[in-house]
């Protein structure tokens, strides 16, 4: 009886969390290098990620200038999880994070200018080629 109650409570809690996560709007925290969005609460399913992009690309273009096409008409957009925020690059001597696990932004002048790499989605386009989502 107690095992059934515990399982029911865990299942209910999982459903509530999944519902909360799916209803929490995506938060764009920062934009870097003209092609990288740092976000929180990004959808887990690829179909919902694409739907979010399609629904918000006009606003993102107007507000942040992304996507920005190069001279040949290509563009790429990278969406990364903001995670625990910006960190200071510890260099190669740190055992917790190597430089390969951090993504640092040269457009920032402060010491804490790196995030832990956690790519969520990338997309891009080229002339005479369809839009791709990865």
């Amino acid at each position: 009886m107690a095992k059934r109650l515990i399982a029911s409570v865990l299942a209910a809690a999982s459903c509530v969390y999944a519902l909360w996560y799916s209803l929490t709007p995506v938060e764009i925290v920062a934009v870097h290098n003209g092609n990288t969005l740092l976000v929180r609460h990004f959808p887990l399913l690829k179909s919902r990620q694409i739907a979010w992009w399609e629904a918000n690309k006009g606003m993102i273009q107007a507000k942040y200038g992304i996507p920005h096409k190069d001279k040949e008409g290509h563009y790429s957009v990278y969406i990364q999880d903001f995670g625990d925020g910006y960190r200071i690059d510890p260099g190669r001597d740190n055992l917790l994070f190597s430089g390969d696990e951090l993504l640092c932004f040269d457009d920032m002048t402060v010491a804490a200018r790196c995030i832990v790499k956690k790519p969520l989605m990338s997309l891009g386009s080229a002339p005479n080629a369809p839009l791709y989502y990865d």
Side-chain angles (χ1 to χ4, degrees):
M1 182 70 166
K3 289 181 182 179
R4 201 175 275 171
L5 177 64
I6 291 171
S8 297
V9 169
L10 287 176
S14 297
C15 289
V16 167
Y17 177 76
L19 182 63
W20 169 80
Y21 192 86
S22 67
L23 295 176
T24 303
V26 175
E27 176 188 2
I28 299 174
V29 179
V31 176
H32 292 285
N33 302 330
N35 65 354
T36 303
L37 298 171
L38 303 182
V39 299
R40 288 192 174 122
H41 309 295
F42 203 62
L44 299 174
L45 300 175
K46 185 62 74 180
S47 61
R48 293 197 183 250
Q49 293 173 353
I50 293 170
W52 176 84
W53 173 258
E54 291 296 327
N56 291 283
K57 66 183 176 185
M59 178 275 299
I60 293 169
Q61 172 66 44
K63 190 170 183 179
Y64 304 109
I66 294 176
H68 174 72
K69 293 183 179 181
D70 65 12
K71 294 173 192 168
E72 290 95 31
H74 300 85
Y75 71 83
S76 296
V77 176
Y78 305 99
I79 301 174
Q80 296 270 340
D81 184 28
F82 190 61
D84 294 329
Y86 292 110
R87 310 172 169 269
I88 296 173
D89 185 0
R92 299 284 178 195
D93 298 332
N94 189 294
L95 299 176
L96 294 176
F97 294 102
S98 71
D100 296 336
E101 295 171 348
L102 294 177
L103 177 62
C104 298
F105 301 104
D106 294 333
D107 59 351
M108 295 179 70
T109 57
V110 296
R113 59 183 186 86
C114 304
I115 61 167
V116 175
K117 285 182 188 175
K118 187 173 178 193
L120 299 171
M121 184 173 95
S122 63
L123 58 112
S125 181
N128 303 320
L131 180 65
Y132 72 86
Y133 296 96
D134 188 22

